[in-house]
Coordinates of all heavy atoms in Angstrom, one line a residue:
M1 N 60.7 195.6 111.7 CA 59.4 195.0 111.2 C 59.3 195.2 109.8 O 59.7 196.2 109.2 CB 58.3 195.7 111.9 CG 58.0 195.2 113.3 SD 56.4 195.8 113.6 CE 56.0 194.9 114.9
S2 N 58.6 194.3 109.2 CA 58.4 194.3 107.7 C 57.0 195.0 107.4 O 56.1 194.9 108.2 CB 58.5 193.0 107.1 OG 57.4 192.2 107.6
D3 N 57.0 195.5 106.3 CA 55.7 196.1 105.9 C 54.7 195.1 105.4 O 55.1 194.0 104.9 CB 56.0 197.1 104.7 CG 56.8 198.3 105.1 OD1 56.7 198.6 106.3 OD2 57.6 198.8 104.3
P4 N 53.4 195.3 105.6 CA 52.5 194.3 105.1 C 52.5 194.2 103.6 O 52.8 195.2 102.9 CB 51.1 194.8 105.7 CG 51.3 196.2 106.1 CD 52.8 196.4 106.3
I5 N 52.1 193.1 103.0 CA 52.1 192.9 101.6 C 50.9 193.8 101.0 O 49.8 193.7 101.5 CB 51.9 191.5 101.2 CG1 53.0 190.6 101.8 CG2 51.8 191.3 99.7 CD1 52.8 189.2 101.6
P6 N 51.2 194.6 100.0 CA 50.2 195.4 99.4 C 49.1 194.5 98.7 O 49.4 193.4 98.3 CB 50.9 196.3 98.4 CG 52.3 196.0 98.6 CD 52.5 194.9 99.5
E7 N 47.9 195.0 98.6 CA 46.8 194.3 97.9 C 47.1 193.9 96.5 O 46.7 192.8 96.1 CB 45.5 195.1 98.0 CG 45.0 195.3 99.4 CD 44.3 194.0 99.9 OE1 43.8 193.2 99.1 OE2 44.4 193.8 101.1
S8 N 47.9 194.7 95.8 CA 48.1 194.4 94.4 C 49.1 193.3 94.1 O 49.0 192.6 93.1 CB 48.6 195.7 93.7 OG 49.8 196.1 94.2
T9 N 49.9 193.0 95.1 CA 50.9 191.9 94.9 C 50.5 190.6 95.6 O 51.2 189.6 95.5 CB 52.2 192.3 95.4 OG1 52.1 192.6 96.8 CG2 52.8 193.5 94.6
R10 N 49.3 190.6 96.3 CA 48.9 189.4 96.9 C 48.5 188.3 95.9 O 47.8 188.6 95.0 CB 47.7 189.7 97.9 CG 47.4 188.6 98.8 CD 46.3 188.9 99.7 NE 46.8 190.0 100.6 CZ 46.0 190.6 101.5 NH1 44.8 190.3 101.6 NH2 46.5 191.6 102.3
V11 N 48.9 187.1 96.1 CA 48.6 186.0 95.2 C 47.4 185.2 95.8 O 47.5 184.7 96.9 CB 49.8 185.0 95.1 CG1 49.5 183.9 94.2 CG2 51.0 185.8 94.5
E12 N 46.4 185.1 95.0 CA 45.2 184.4 95.4 C 45.4 182.9 95.0 O 45.9 182.6 94.0 CB 44.0 185.0 94.6 CG 43.6 186.4 95.0 CD 43.1 186.5 96.5 OE1 42.4 185.5 96.9 OE2 43.3 187.5 97.1
P13 N 44.9 182.0 95.9 CA 45.0 180.6 95.5 C 44.2 180.3 94.3 O 43.0 180.8 94.2 CB 44.5 179.9 96.7 CG 43.9 180.9 97.6 CD 44.4 182.2 97.2
K14 N 44.8 179.6 93.3 CA 44.1 179.3 92.1 C 43.1 178.2 92.3 O 43.4 177.2 92.9 CB 45.1 179.0 91.0 CG 44.6 179.1 89.6 CD 45.8 178.8 88.7 CE 45.4 179.4 87.3 NZ 46.5 179.2 86.4
A15 N 41.9 178.3 91.7 CA 41.0 177.2 91.8 C 41.5 176.0 91.0 O 42.2 176.1 90.0 CB 39.6 177.6 91.2
S16 N 41.2 174.8 91.5 CA 41.8 173.6 90.9 C 41.3 173.5 89.4 O 40.1 173.6 89.2 CB 41.3 172.4 91.7 OG 41.8 171.2 91.1
S17 N 42.2 173.2 88.5 CA 41.8 173.1 87.1 C 41.5 171.6 86.8 O 41.3 171.3 85.6 CB 42.9 173.6 86.2 OG 44.1 172.8 86.4
R18 N 41.5 170.7 87.8 CA 41.2 169.3 87.5 C 39.7 169.1 87.4 O 39.3 168.1 86.7 CB 41.7 168.5 88.7 CG 43.2 168.2 88.5 CD 43.6 167.2 89.5 NE 44.1 167.8 90.7 CZ 44.4 167.2 91.8 NH1 44.2 166.0 92.0 NH2 44.9 167.9 92.8
W19 N 38.8 169.9 88.0 CA 37.4 169.6 88.0 C 36.8 169.6 86.6 O 36.0 168.7 86.3 CB 36.7 170.6 88.9 CG 36.9 170.2 90.3 CD1 37.7 170.9 91.2 CD2 36.4 169.1 91.0 NE1 37.7 170.2 92.4 CE2 36.9 169.1 92.3 CE3 35.7 168.0 90.6 CZ2 36.7 168.1 93.3 CZ3 35.4 167.0 91.6 CH2 35.9 167.1 92.9
P20 N 37.1 170.6 85.7 CA 36.6 170.5 84.4 C 37.0 169.2 83.6 O 36.2 168.7 82.9 CB 37.1 171.8 83.7 CG 37.4 172.7 84.8 CD 37.9 171.8 85.9
W21 N 38.2 168.8 83.8 CA 38.7 167.6 83.1 C 38.0 166.4 83.7 O 37.6 165.5 82.9 CB 40.2 167.5 83.2 CG 40.9 168.5 82.4 CD1 41.6 169.6 82.9 CD2 41.1 168.5 81.0 NE1 42.1 170.3 81.8 CE2 41.8 169.6 80.7 CE3 40.6 167.6 80.0 CZ2 42.1 169.9 79.4 CZ3 41.0 168.0 78.7 CH2 41.7 169.1 78.4
L22 N 37.8 166.3 85.0 CA 37.1 165.2 85.6 C 35.7 165.1 85.1 O 35.1 164.1 84.9 CB 37.3 165.2 87.1 CG 38.6 164.9 87.6 CD1 38.7 165.1 89.1 CD2 39.0 163.5 87.3
L23 N 35.0 166.3 85.1 CA 33.7 166.4 84.6 C 33.5 165.9 83.2 O 32.6 165.2 82.8 CB 33.1 167.8 84.8 CG 31.7 168.0 84.4 CD1 30.7 167.1 85.3 CD2 31.3 169.5 84.6
A24 N 34.4 166.4 82.3 CA 34.4 166.0 80.9 C 34.6 164.5 80.8 O 33.9 163.8 80.0 CB 35.5 166.7 80.1
L25 N 35.5 163.9 81.5 CA 35.8 162.5 81.5 C 34.6 161.7 82.0 O 34.2 160.7 81.4 CB 37.0 162.1 82.4 CG 37.4 160.6 82.4 CD1 37.8 160.2 81.1 CD2 38.5 160.4 83.4
L26 N 33.9 162.2 83.0 CA 32.7 161.5 83.6 C 31.6 161.6 82.5 O 30.9 160.6 82.3 CB 32.3 162.2 84.9 CG 31.1 161.6 85.6 CD1 31.4 160.2 86.0 CD2 30.7 162.4 86.7
L27 N 31.4 162.7 81.8 CA 30.4 162.8 80.8 C 30.7 161.9 79.6 O 29.8 161.2 79.1 CB 30.3 164.2 80.3 CG 29.6 165.2 81.3 CD1 29.6 166.6 80.8 CD2 28.2 164.8 81.6
L28 N 31.9 161.8 79.2 CA 32.3 160.9 78.1 C 32.0 159.4 78.5 O 31.5 158.6 77.7 CB 33.7 161.0 77.7 CG 34.0 162.3 76.9 CD1 35.5 162.4 76.7 CD2 33.4 162.1 75.5
L29 N 32.4 159.1 79.7 CA 32.1 157.7 80.2 C 30.7 157.4 80.3 O 30.2 156.3 79.9 CB 32.8 157.5 81.6 CG 32.7 156.1 82.2 CD1 33.5 155.2 81.4 CD2 33.2 156.2 83.6
A30 N 29.9 158.3 80.7 CA 28.4 158.1 80.8 C 27.8 158.0 79.4 O 27.0 157.2 79.1 CB 27.8 159.3 81.6
A31 N 28.3 158.8 78.5 CA 27.8 158.7 77.1 C 28.2 157.4 76.4 O 27.4 156.8 75.8 CB 28.3 159.9 76.3
G32 N 29.4 157.0 76.6 CA 29.8 155.7 76.1 C 29.0 154.5 76.7 O 28.6 153.6 75.9
T33 N 28.8 154.6 78.0 CA 28.0 153.5 78.6 C 26.6 153.5 78.0 O 26.0 152.5 77.8 CB 28.0 153.7 80.1 OG1 29.3 153.7 80.6 CG2 27.2 152.6 80.8
G34 N 26.0 154.7 77.9 CA 24.6 154.8 77.3 C 24.5 154.3 75.9 O 23.6 153.6 75.6
I35 N 25.5 154.6 75.1 CA 25.5 154.1 73.7 C 25.7 152.6 73.7 O 25.0 151.9 72.9 CB 26.6 154.8 72.9 CG1 26.3 156.3 72.7 CG2 26.8 154.2 71.5 CD1 27.4 157.1 72.1
W36 N 26.6 152.1 74.5 CA 26.7 150.6 74.5 C 25.5 149.9 75.0 O 25.0 149.0 74.4 CB 27.9 150.3 75.5 CG 28.0 148.8 75.8 CD1 28.5 147.9 75.0 CD2 27.4 148.1 76.9 NE1 28.4 146.6 75.6 CE2 27.7 146.8 76.7 CE3 26.8 148.6 78.1 CZ2 27.4 145.8 77.7 CZ3 26.4 147.6 79.0 CH2 26.7 146.3 78.8
W37 N 24.8 150.4 76.0 CA 23.6 149.8 76.5 C 22.5 149.9 75.5 O 21.8 148.9 75.3 CB 23.1 150.6 77.8 CG 21.9 150.0 78.4 CD1 21.9 148.9 79.3 CD2 20.6 150.4 78.3 NE1 20.6 148.6 79.7 CE2 19.8 149.5 79.1 CE3 20.0 151.4 77.6 CZ2 18.4 149.7 79.1 CZ3 18.6 151.5 77.6 CH2 17.8 150.7 78.4
Y38 N 22.3 151.0 74.8 CA 21.3 151.2 73.8 C 21.5 150.3 72.6 O 20.6 149.6 72.2 CB 21.2 152.7 73.3 CG 20.2 152.9 72.2 CD1 18.9 153.0 72.5 CD2 20.6 153.1 70.9 CE1 17.9 153.2 71.5 CE2 19.7 153.3 69.9 CZ 18.4 153.3 70.2 OH 17.4 153.5 69.2
S39 N 22.7 150.2 72.2 CA 23.0 149.3 71.0 C 22.8 147.8 71.4 O 22.3 147.0 70.6 CB 24.4 149.5 70.5 OG 25.4 149.2 71.4
A40 N 23.2 147.4 72.6 CA 23.0 146.0 73.0 C 21.5 145.7 73.1 O 21.1 144.6 72.7 CB 23.7 145.8 74.4
H41 N 20.7 146.6 73.7 CA 19.3 146.3 73.8 C 18.5 146.4 72.5 O 17.5 145.7 72.3 CB 18.7 147.2 74.9 CG 19.1 146.8 76.3 ND1 18.6 145.7 76.9 CD2 20.0 147.3 77.1 CE1 19.1 145.5 78.1 NE2 20.0 146.5 78.3
R42 N 19.0 147.3 71.7 CA 18.3 147.5 70.4 C 18.6 146.2 69.5 O 17.7 145.7 68.8 CB 18.8 148.7 69.7 CG 18.2 148.9 68.3 CD 18.6 150.2 67.7 NE 17.9 150.4 66.5 CZ 18.1 151.3 65.6 NH1 19.0 152.2 65.9 NH2 17.5 151.4 64.5
A43 N 19.8 145.7 69.5 CA 20.1 144.5 68.8 C 19.2 143.3 69.3 O 18.7 142.5 68.5 CB 21.6 144.1 68.8
G44 N 19.1 143.2 70.6 CA 18.3 142.1 71.2 C 16.8 142.2 70.8 O 16.2 141.2 70.5
S45 N 16.3 143.4 70.8 CA 14.9 143.6 70.5 C 14.6 143.4 69.0 O 13.6 142.9 68.6 CB 14.4 145.0 70.9 OG 15.0 146.0 70.2
A46 N 15.6 143.7 68.1 CA 15.4 143.5 66.7 C 15.4 142.0 66.4 O 14.6 141.6 65.6 CB 16.6 144.2 65.9
A47 N 16.2 141.2 67.1 CA 16.2 139.8 66.9 C 14.8 139.2 67.3 O 14.3 138.3 66.7 CB 17.3 139.1 67.6
T48 N 14.3 139.7 68.4 CA 13.0 139.3 68.9 C 11.9 139.6 67.9 O 11.0 138.8 67.7 CB 12.7 139.9 70.3 OG1 13.8 139.5 71.1 CG2 11.4 139.3 70.8
R49 N 12.0 140.8 67.4 CA 10.9 141.3 66.4 C 11.0 140.4 65.2 O 9.9 140.1 64.6 CB 11.2 142.7 66.0 CG 10.6 143.7 67.0 CD 10.7 145.1 66.3 NE 12.0 145.4 65.9 CZ 12.7 146.4 66.3 NH1 12.2 147.2 67.1 NH2 13.9 146.6 65.8
M50 N 12.1 140.0 64.7 CA 12.2 139.2 63.5 C 11.9 137.7 63.8 O 11.8 136.9 62.9 CB 13.6 139.3 62.9 CG 13.9 140.7 62.4 SD 15.3 140.8 61.4 CE 14.8 139.9 60.0
G51 N 11.7 137.3 65.1 CA 11.3 136.0 65.4 C 12.5 135.0 65.5 O 12.3 133.8 65.5
R52 N 13.7 135.5 65.5 CA 14.9 134.6 65.5 C 15.0 133.9 66.8 O 15.4 132.7 66.9 CB 16.1 135.4 65.2 CG 16.2 135.8 63.8 CD 17.5 136.5 63.5 NE 17.4 137.2 62.3 CZ 18.3 138.1 61.9 NH1 19.3 138.5 62.7 NH2 18.2 138.7 60.7
S53 N 14.8 134.6 67.9 CA 15.0 134.0 69.2 C 14.0 132.9 69.5 O 14.3 132.0 70.2 CB 15.0 135.1 70.3 OG 13.7 135.7 70.4
A54 N 12.8 133.0 69.0 CA 11.8 132.0 69.2 C 12.1 130.7 68.5 O 11.8 129.6 69.0 CB 10.4 132.5 68.7
F55 N 12.8 130.7 67.4 CA 13.2 129.5 66.6 C 14.6 129.1 66.8 O 15.1 128.2 66.1 CB 12.8 129.7 65.1 CG 11.4 130.0 64.9 CD1 10.9 131.2 64.6 CD2 10.5 129.0 65.0 CE1 9.6 131.5 64.3 CE2 9.1 129.2 64.8 CZ 8.7 130.4 64.5
A56 N 15.4 129.8 67.6 CA 16.8 129.5 67.7 C 17.1 128.1 68.3 O 18.0 127.5 67.9 CB 17.5 130.6 68.6
S57 N 16.2 127.7 69.2 CA 16.5 126.4 69.8 C 15.9 125.2 68.9 O 16.2 124.0 69.2 CB 15.9 126.3 71.2 OG 14.5 126.5 71.1
Q58 N 15.0 125.5 68.0 CA 14.4 124.4 67.2 C 15.3 124.1 65.9 O 15.8 125.0 65.3 CB 13.0 124.8 66.7 CG 12.1 125.1 67.8 CD 10.7 125.6 67.3 OE1 10.6 125.8 66.2 NE2 9.8 125.7 68.3
P59 N 15.4 122.8 65.6 CA 16.2 122.5 64.4 C 15.5 122.9 63.1 O 14.3 123.0 63.1 CB 16.4 121.0 64.5 CG 15.3 120.5 65.3 CD 15.0 121.7 66.3
T60 N 16.2 123.2 62.1 CA 15.7 123.6 60.8 C 15.6 122.4 59.9 O 16.5 121.6 59.8 CB 16.6 124.7 60.1 OG1 16.7 125.8 61.0 CG2 16.0 125.1 58.8
A61 N 14.4 122.2 59.3 CA 14.2 121.1 58.4 C 15.1 121.3 57.1 O 15.1 122.4 56.5 CB 12.8 120.9 58.0
V62 N 15.8 120.2 56.7 CA 16.6 120.3 55.5 C 16.2 119.2 54.6 O 16.0 118.0 55.0 CB 18.1 120.2 55.9 CG1 18.9 120.1 54.6 CG2 18.5 121.3 56.8
T63 N 16.0 119.5 53.3 CA 15.7 118.4 52.3 C 16.9 118.3 51.3 O 17.7 119.2 51.2 CB 14.5 118.8 51.5 OG1 14.7 120.1 50.8 CG2 13.2 119.0 52.4
A64 N 16.9 117.2 50.6 CA 18.0 116.9 49.7 C 17.4 116.8 48.3 O 16.3 116.5 48.1 CB 18.6 115.5 50.1
A65 N 18.3 117.2 47.3 CA 17.9 117.1 45.9 C 19.1 116.6 45.1 O 20.2 116.7 45.6 CB 17.4 118.5 45.4
A66 N 18.8 116.1 44.0 CA 19.9 115.6 43.1 C 20.7 116.8 42.5 O 20.1 117.9 42.2 CB 19.3 114.8 41.9
A67 N 22.0 116.7 42.5 CA 22.8 117.8 41.9 C 22.7 117.8 40.4 O 22.6 116.8 39.7 CB 24.3 117.5 42.3
R68 N 22.7 119.0 39.9 CA 22.6 119.2 38.4 C 23.5 120.4 38.0 O 23.7 121.3 38.8 CB 21.2 119.4 38.0 CG 20.6 120.7 38.5 CD 19.1 120.9 38.0 NE 18.6 122.1 38.5 CZ 17.5 122.2 39.2 NH1 16.7 121.2 39.3 NH2 17.1 123.4 39.6
E69 N 24.0 120.3 36.8 CA 24.9 121.3 36.3 C 24.1 122.4 35.6 O 23.3 122.0 34.7 CB 26.0 120.7 35.4 CG 27.0 121.7 35.0 CD 28.1 121.1 34.1 OE1 28.2 119.8 34.2 OE2 28.8 121.8 33.4
Q70 N 24.3 123.6 35.9 CA 23.6 124.7 35.2 C 24.4 126.0 35.4 O 25.2 126.1 36.4 CB 22.1 124.8 35.7 CG 22.0 125.3 37.1 CD 20.5 125.4 37.5 OE1 19.7 124.6 37.1 NE2 20.2 126.3 38.4
S71 N 24.1 127.0 34.6 CA 24.8 128.2 34.8 C 24.1 129.0 35.9 O 22.9 128.9 36.1 CB 24.8 129.0 33.5 OG 23.5 129.4 33.1
L72 N 24.9 129.8 36.6 CA 24.4 130.6 37.7 C 24.8 132.0 37.5 O 26.0 132.3 37.8 CB 24.8 130.0 39.1 CG 24.3 130.8 40.3 CD1 22.8 130.6 40.4 CD2 25.0 130.3 41.5
P73 N 24.0 132.9 37.0 CA 24.4 134.3 36.8 C 24.5 135.0 38.1 O 23.7 134.8 39.0 CB 23.3 134.9 35.9 CG 22.1 134.0 36.2 CD 22.6 132.7 36.5
V74 N 25.6 135.7 38.3 CA 25.9 136.5 39.5 C 26.0 138.0 39.1 O 26.8 138.3 38.3 CB 27.1 136.0 40.2 CG1 27.4 136.8 41.4 CG2 27.0 134.5 40.6
W75 N 25.2 138.8 39.8 CA 25.3 140.3 39.6 C 25.7 140.9 40.9 O 25.1 140.6 41.9 CB 24.0 140.9 39.1 CG 23.7 140.4 37.7 CD1 24.2 140.9 36.5 CD2 22.7 139.5 37.3 NE1 23.6 140.3 35.5 CE2 22.7 139.4 35.9 CE3 21.8 138.7 38.1 CZ2 21.8 138.5 35.3 CZ3 21.0 137.8 37.4 CH2 21.0 137.8 36.0
L76 N 26.6 141.8 40.8 CA 27.0 142.5 42.0 C 26.8 144.0 41.7 O 27.6 144.6 40.9 CB 28.5 142.2 42.4 CG 29.0 143.0 43.7 CD1 28.2 142.5 44.9 CD2 30.4 142.7 43.9
T77 N 25.8 144.6 42.3 CA 25.5 146.0 42.0 C 25.8 147.0 43.2 O 25.7 148.2 43.0 CB 24.0 146.2 41.6 OG1 23.2 145.7 42.7 CG2 23.8 145.4 40.3
A78 N 26.2 146.4 44.3 CA 26.4 147.3 45.5 C 27.4 146.7 46.4 O 27.7 145.5 46.3 CB 25.1 147.5 46.2
L79 N 28.0 147.5 47.3 CA 28.9 147.0 48.3 C 28.0 146.5 49.5 O 27.0 147.0 49.8 CB 29.8 148.1 48.8 CG 30.8 148.6 47.7 CD1 31.6 149.8 48.3 CD2 31.7 147.5 47.3
G80 N 28.5 145.4 50.1 CA 27.8 144.9 51.3 C 28.2 143.5 51.6 O 29.0 142.9 51.0
T81 N 27.5 142.9 52.6 CA 27.7 141.6 53.0 C 26.4 140.8 53.1 O 25.4 141.3 53.6 CB 28.3 141.6 54.5 OG1 29.5 142.3 54.4 CG2 28.7 140.2 54.9
A82 N 26.4 139.7 52.5 CA 25.2 138.8 52.6 C 25.3 137.9 53.8 O 26.3 137.2 53.9 CB 25.0 138.0 51.3
T83 N 24.3 137.9 54.7 CA 24.4 137.1 55.9 C 23.1 136.2 55.9 O 22.0 136.8 55.8 CB 24.4 137.9 57.1 OG1 25.5 138.8 57.0 CG2 24.6 137.1 58.4
P84 N 23.2 134.9 56.0 CA 22.0 134.1 56.0 C 21.2 134.2 57.3 O 21.8 134.5 58.3 CB 22.5 132.7 55.8 CG 23.9 132.7 56.3 CD 24.4 134.1 56.0
H85 N 19.9 134.0 57.3 CA 19.2 134.0 58.6 C 19.5 132.7 59.4 O 19.5 132.7 60.6 CB 17.7 134.1 58.3 CG 17.3 135.4 57.8 ND1 17.1 136.5 58.6 CD2 17.0 135.9 56.6 CE1 16.7 137.5 57.9 NE2 16.7 137.2 56.7
T86 N 19.6 131.6 58.7 CA 19.9 130.3 59.4 C 21.1 129.6 58.6 O 21.3 129.8 57.5 CB 18.7 129.4 59.4 OG1 18.3 129.2 58.1 CG2 17.6 130.0 60.3
L87 N 21.8 128.8 59.4 CA 22.9 128.0 58.8 C 22.5 126.5 58.9 O 21.8 126.1 59.9 CB 24.2 128.3 59.5 CG 24.7 129.8 59.4 CD1 25.9 129.9 60.3 CD2 25.1 130.1 58.0
A88 N 23.1 125.7 58.1 CA 22.9 124.3 58.1 C 24.2 123.6 58.0 O 25.0 123.8 57.1 CB 21.9 123.8 57.1
N89 N 24.5 122.7 59.0 CA 25.7 121.8 58.9 C 25.2 120.5 58.4 O 24.4 119.8 59.0 CB 26.3 121.7 60.3 CG 27.0 123.0 60.7 OD1 27.4 123.8 59.9 ND2 27.1 123.1 62.0
V90 N 25.8 120.1 57.2 CA 25.4 118.8 56.6 C 26.5 117.8 56.9 O 27.7 118.0 56.5 CB 25.2 118.9 55.1 CG1 24.9 117.6 54.5 CG2 24.1 120.0 54.8
M91 N 26.2 116.8 57.7 CA 27.2 115.8 58.1 C 26.7 114.4 57.9 O 25.5 114.2 58.1 CB 27.6 116.0 59.6 CG 28.2 117.4 59.9 SD 28.5 117.7 61.6 CE 29.8 116.5 61.8
P92 N 27.5 113.5 57.5 CA 27.1 112.1 57.3 C 26.9 111.4 58.6 O 27.5 111.8 59.6 CB 28.2 111.5 56.5 CG 29.4 112.3 56.9 CD 28.9 113.7 57.1
R93 N 26.0 110.4 58.7 CA 25.9 109.6 59.9 C 26.9 108.6 60.0 O 27.2 108.0 61.1 CB 24.5 108.9 59.9 CG 23.4 109.9 60.0 CD 22.1 109.2 60.2 NE 21.0 110.2 60.2 CZ 19.7 109.8 60.4 NH1 19.4 108.6 60.5 NH2 18.8 110.8 60.4
V94 N 27.6 108.2 58.9 CA 28.7 107.2 58.9 C 29.9 107.9 58.4 O 29.9 108.9 57.7 CB 28.3 106.0 58.1 CG1 27.1 105.3 58.7 CG2 28.1 106.4 56.7
A95 N 31.1 107.3 58.8 CA 32.4 107.9 58.3 C 32.6 107.4 56.9 O 32.2 106.3 56.5 CB 33.5 107.5 59.2
G96 N 33.3 108.2 56.1 CA 33.6 107.7 54.7 C 33.1 108.7 53.7 O 32.6 109.7 54.0
L97 N 33.2 108.2 52.5 CA 32.8 109.1 51.3 C 31.3 108.9 51.0 O 30.8 107.8 51.0 CB 33.6 108.6 50.1 CG 33.4 109.4 48.8 CD1 33.8 110.8 49.0 CD2 34.1 108.7 47.7
L98 N 30.6 110.0 50.9 CA 29.2 110.0 50.5 C 29.1 109.7 49.0 O 29.8 110.4 48.2 CB 28.5 111.3 50.9 CG 28.4 111.6 52.3 CD1 27.7 112.9 52.5 CD2 27.5 110.5 53.0
Q99 N 28.3 108.8 48.6 CA 28.1 108.5 47.1 C 26.6 108.7 46.8 O 25.7 108.3 47.5 CB 28.6 107.1 46.8 CG 30.1 107.0 47.0 CD 30.6 105.7 46.6 OE1 29.8 104.8 46.3 NE2 31.9 105.5 46.6

């Protein structure tokens, strides 16, 4: 007969080391989803506050003026991007050269 295994040499089953990694992954996924949701809803509410969504479906009135030559001073004092609030597509009603 063999002797029983002494207490000091007995190997205890190790707790799974996957749970902390899965918990961290779940927390990162939840944080990313929360940030995405917040930024999507914040951008939508900012457009509503500025009144863009109310006028998005209405056409913008455009007037015409005679072209003239003049100097146009341009100063650039900072980095950034200029984005217009509205855009206008100017297209002729007939094909050919506009005069």
Side-chain angles (χ1 to χ4, degrees):
M1 278 197 167
S2 64
D3 293 330
I5 301 174
E7 290 288 326
S8 62
T9 60
R10 191 176 295 174
V11 177
E12 293 292 327
K14 200 174 200 182
S16 177
S17 63
R18 281 190 264 173
W19 287 108
W21 289 105
L22 289 175
L23 182 62
L25 181 65
L26 182 65
L27 288 175
L28 282 173
L29 184 64
T33 304
I35 290 170
W36 170 79
W37 183 83
Y38 177 75
S39 65
H41 286 285
R42 183 175 178 184
S45 65
T48 305
R49 278 192 304 240
M50 296 192 69
R52 291 182 192 166
S53 64
F55 298 106
S57 62
Q58 298 177 357
T60 303
V62 177
T63 58
R68 62 178 182 234
E69 185 176 341
Q70 68 182 32
S71 64
L72 180 67
V74 177
W75 292 285
L76 181 62
T77 58
L79 297 175
T81 303
T83 306
H85 288 282
T86 56
L87 298 173
N89 290 333
V90 179
M91 299 178 68
R93 291 187 183 182
V94 295
L97 182 64
L98 291 177
Q99 294 182 353

